Amino acid sequence: MKIKHLNKTALILFLFFICCLKEKDQNKPNDIPIEKYKKEILMNGNIDAYKQLTLYYLNSPFHNETLPYSILMADKYNNGDACHEIFVQIIGLKQAPGTQHYDISIFNKLNKGEKEYVLFYLKKGARLKNIGCIVVLRDLGISDKD
């Protein structure tokens, strides 16, 4: 009787282990394209790869992992979308975890250095005719001409 019970227990544990492995594999992100996108951004400033990377991390708890790539795209490749994304990510750092949309009023909670940093990129994005940057500056009541 004990042997049958042990066999059933072993079988149940084995099946549970197999199910856990399958679930783990299903939840595991496919990092190969992401690494490819990161390399394309770093080496070539590939705009499509940058868009794919930001989409990949959009609803991820690691959303701000794209911040260095946004800075690179804004500085080296003069990408207006990246300028706006820098604003979104910096504001996102100050928001409650899990917040879906950024709250523009958080700009007022930034310290002086953070405000200057964010404004630099918003104004640069506005000069590059990025509508997101233009709208944020307008909503903040700040001229993009300064």
Side-chain angles (χ1 to χ4, degrees), residues 2 9 44 53 55 64 84 96:
K2 286 185 180 181
T9 305
N44 305 316
L53 187 70
L55 284 174
N64 289 351
H84 183 258

Side-chain angles (χ1 to χ4, degrees), residues 13-30:
L13 288 173
F14 178 74
L15 291 174
F16 179 74
F17 179 73
I18 295 298
C19 289
C20 288
L21 284 177
K22 285 183 179 181
E23 184 178 322
K24 185 177 178 182
D25 287 342
Q26 290 172 349
N27 291 334
K28 184 179 177 185
N30 188 356

Side-chain angles (χ1 to χ4, degrees), residues 67-68 70-72 74-75 83 86-87 90 107 110-124:
L67 185 57
S70 297
I71 294 168
L72 175 76
D75 287 346
C83 293
I86 292 168
F87 168 76
I90 298 293
F107 176 81
L110 299 177
N111 66 41
K112 183 181 178 187
E114 291 168 330
K115 284 181 181 178
E116 289 173 359
Y117 187 77
V118 167
L119 284 174
F120 170 81
Y121 285 107
L122 286 173
K123 289 177 181 180
K124 179 175 184 170

Side-chain angles (χ1 to χ4, degrees), residues 27-43:
N27 291 334
K28 184 179 177 185
N30 188 356
D31 289 336
I32 294 170
I34 299 308
E35 293 305 317
K36 180 183 171 191
Y37 296 147
K38 290 177 179 180
K39 184 177 179 181
E40 278 295 312
I41 294 165
L42 291 172
M43 302 302 288

Side-chain angles (χ1 to χ4, degrees), residues 21-110:
L21 284 177
K22 285 183 179 181
E23 184 178 322
K24 185 177 178 182
D25 287 342
Q26 290 172 349
N27 291 334
K28 184 179 177 185
N30 188 356
D31 289 336
I32 294 170
I34 299 308
E35 293 305 317
K36 180 183 171 191
Y37 296 147
K38 290 177 179 180
K39 184 177 179 181
E40 278 295 312
I41 294 165
L42 291 172
M43 302 302 288
N44 305 316
N46 185 314
I47 294 170
D48 291 329
Y50 175 71
K51 288 178 183 178
Q52 290 299 319
L53 187 70
T54 55
L55 284 174
Y56 177 82
Y57 284 112
L58 184 63
N59 293 319
S60 166
F62 307 107
H63 175 67
N64 289 351
E65 188 166 317
T66 60
L67 185 57
Y69 299 95
S70 297
I71 294 168
L72 175 76
M73 290 297 289
D75 287 346
K76 188 173 180 180
Y77 300 105
N78 293 315
N79 183 280
D81 289 335
C83 293
H84 183 258
E85 189 64 22
I86 292 168
F87 168 76
V88 170
Q89 290 178 33
I90 298 293
I91 293 296
L93 287 170
K94 302 293 183 174
Q95 289 187 166
T99 306
Q100 289 294 330
H101 301 285
Y102 68 87
D103 180 359
I104 198 167
S105 69
I106 290 178
F107 176 81
N108 296 322
K109 296 178 182 176
L110 299 177

